[in-house]
Amino acid sequence: EVKLQQSGDELVRPGASVKMSCKASGYTFTDYAMHWVKQSPGQGLEWIGTIIPLIDTTSYNQKFKGKATLTADKSSNTAYMELSRLTSEDSAVYYCARSGNNYANWFAYWGQGTLVTVSS
Amino acid sequence: DIQMTQSPSFLSASVGDRVTINCKASQNINKYLDWYQQKHGEAPKLLIYNTNNLQTGIPSRFSGSGSGTDYTLTISSLQPEDVATYFCLQHSSRPLTFGSGTKLEIK
């Protein structure tokens, strides 16, 4: 069974950074891409970017370049996303989602989401 | 960026009704269109990929169609468990972009 287990909810101060994780199980981690998606009440769903763990290649939505950094640890089957210089606009639920067939760009499986709240 | 215009935003229908939800892309997306269901408090779930391919485990009352810029999700016979918000996603070109969602309720 494919499972994506995301790290817990975060309360962070404005200007700080946060790093969240997405631990994959039930499939070969390097055979698929991992996507990250933001969901906020004001902006709906937004694609942040994608990482291909096999070759450590990333692709970002221009809107999130400089804001999000995607990495992956093949030894632990875990993908990470770090968000920097946080503002209230970054308060949202963040999902990781595994690609469809190999690197196809549909989101076949989703994590449960990590809620990030930016507040002083 | 490709804009996805989804309609309607809200839909109320009776159990057993045939329901359709539409997404219109701002340019041809060559059938690279998926549909997702999100129930309250849960993560989205893939229903259909590449316009008309039913994801494993999804009931056959869900179907998709379309081409070019216009795409449709159809629920052939609405069930109570279908109460959710539905989103489309185009993955023809980056950035990948979502529709704004259709909230479906039972009348």
Side-chain angles (χ1 to χ4, degrees), chain A residues 39-120:
Chain A
Q39 185 168 35
S40 56
Q43 298 296 320
L45 289 161
E46 298 177 279
W47 172 71
I48 297 170
T50 302
I51 185 165
I52 299 177
L54 180 65
I55 52 176
D56 270 329
T57 295
T58 54
S59 173
Y60 292 94
N61 184 337
Q62 184 68 32
K63 180 178 178 180
F64 292 94
K65 279 187 177 177
K67 170 62 67 176
T69 302
L70 306 183
T71 56
D73 178 358
K74 293 186 281 290
S75 68
S76 64
N77 294 339
T78 304
Y80 297 92
M81 179 172 68
E82 183 169 20
L83 301 173
S84 60
R85 299 183 302 279
L86 292 165
T87 72
S88 59
E89 295 295 306
D90 299 314
S91 293
V93 177
Y94 293 88
Y95 293 101
C96 60
R98 199 205 79 178
S99 65
N101 296 344
N102 297 115
Y103 305 125
N105 284 325
W106 62 83
F107 305 157
Y109 298 93
W110 295 63
Q112 84 277 17
T114 294
L115 174 63
V116 173
T117 304
V118 182
S119 174
S120 54

Side-chain angles (χ1 to χ4, degrees), chain B residues 83-104:
Chain B
V83 168
T85 300
Y86 293 82
F87 298 94
C88 61
L89 167 72
Q90 71 79 20
H91 60 91
S92 173
S93 67
R94 298 191 173 190
L96 313 183
T97 47
F98 290 88
S100 55
T102 296
K103 189 170 183 179
L104 175 59

